[in-house]
Amino acid sequence: MTAPLKLSRFYEWGRKIVAVGRNYRAHCAELGNPVPKEPVLFLKPTTSYLPEGKGPTRGPPGCTDLHHEIELGVVISGGGTNIPQESAMDHVGGYVLALDMTARDYQNIAKEKGIPWTWAKCFDTACPISEFVPKEKVSDPQDLNMWLKVNGEVRQKTNTNDMIFTVPYIISYISKMMTLEPGDLILTGTPMGVAGVQPNDQLEAEIEGVVAMKFTVGDKL
Ligand SMILES: O=C([O-])CC(=O)C(=O)O
Ligand SMILES: [Mg+2]
């Protein structure tokens, strides 16, 4: 008999990570991007997962500008296609605090050339995650204070009520074109304050009152 799949270990068996970009106005402004009318979506592979305690996050070969992006992650427990916004939260099993580590130099090259962001977003260790937080521990995902410190200094700080597109809107929007499955992770976008990190930097992040995590930056892959 095979063991039942545990939602708290979604990163071992979930099949995709769907990331929303440009979901906070101030972050759009800091990178000179327009505020989107519909969610900007991209995928990260599950090989980019880095659970806390499993080593450092590392940039891809040749990267000279590895950025941190703190994000609320939403773990899907019940799959579906064409999920209505009204019942979208019934498909959520819990949350994680996540980093959408980004090789900003490669992303800028990709933007200039009009080619995909794969090299910038999909490398091994590009998705550090906290322990799983069951849904019951979060009364309102749209009212969470979260912050990220680098070497003890606050770099990013937000409340998730600043998101342009809410969690139920995002779930409904994605599921119109891509079936969501149990174990999928949705990254909901980063607030202002993204910046470069160096080997041996200490990253510390928290969703206040909910979960905290620590990672070190390692050498390039
Ligand atoms: O790389 C970017 O700026 C897009 C993105 O992931 C975000 O806004 O979280
Ligand atoms: Mg991001």
Side-chain angles (χ1 to χ4, degrees):
M1 210 175 82
T2 51
L5 299 173
K6 280 182 77 178
L7 195 62
S8 60
R9 297 179 80 90
F10 70 94
Y11 52 87
E12 290 179 348
W13 52 269
R15 302 211 300 176
K16 60 187 174 294
I17 304 170
V18 188
V20 181
R22 306 180 184 170
N23 201 22
Y24 288 82
R25 281 184 179 77
H27 173 62
C28 295
E30 72 179 344
L31 293 188
N33 292 313
V35 173
K37 297 213 170 20
E38 293 294 347
V40 171
L41 301 179
F42 59 95
L43 293 172
K44 284 170 91 85
T46 54
T47 42
S48 69
Y49 276 133
L50 178 66
E52 191 180 15
K54 298 287 183 193
T57 180
R58 303 170 185 272
C63 171
T64 57
D65 197 16
L66 179 64
H67 274 203
H68 54 75
E69 292 194 356
I70 185 177
E71 309 203 4
L72 172 67
V74 178
V75 181
I76 297 296
S77 54
T81 307
N82 280 321
I83 298 169
Q85 229 189 117
E86 297 68 35
S87 55
M89 295 310 289
D90 299 344
H91 295 255
V92 173
Y95 302 91
V96 283
L97 182 53
L99 300 180
D100 171 21
M101 296 303 291
T102 301
R104 196 70 68 198
D105 47 348
Y106 286 118
Q107 189 189 38
N108 288 336
I109 293 168
K111 280 159 86 175
E112 264 167 42
K113 291 188 175 171
I115 59 174
W117 294 353
T118 310
W119 200 250
K121 294 282 194 181
C122 302
F123 50 92
D124 289 358
T125 76
C127 192
I129 48 170
S130 71
E131 68 179 279
F132 175 79
V133 179
K135 178 187 189 170
E136 298 70 40
K137 295 209 171 151
V138 172
S139 55
D140 182 359
Q142 240 53 73
D143 185 18
L144 295 170
N145 288 315
M146 61 179 191
W147 51 257
L148 174 129
K149 291 180 187 172
V150 179
N151 301 329
E153 193 180 306
V154 178
R155 290 263 192 96
Q156 293 189 273
K157 193 174 190 328
T158 199
N159 184 289
T160 54
N161 62 15
D162 273 344
M163 283 183 199
I164 299 169
F165 303 107
T166 63
V167 171
Y169 185 92
I170 292 166
I171 290 171
S172 177
Y173 184 84
I174 294 170
S175 74
K176 284 180 189 163
M177 62 157 167
M178 207 188 297
T179 298
L180 284 170
E181 300 165 291
D184 285 350
L185 178 68
I186 299 175
L187 298 179
T188 57
T190 199
M192 190 179 83
V194 300
V197 291
Q198 303 298 328
N200 299 319
D201 279 353
Q202 304 296 318
L203 310 181
E204 208 183 323
E206 188 168 323
I207 299 176
E208 280 173 14
V210 177
V211 69
M213 65 181 190
K214 285 184 187 167
F215 285 89
T216 302
V217 179
D219 290 327
K220 284 190 279 289
L221 290 167

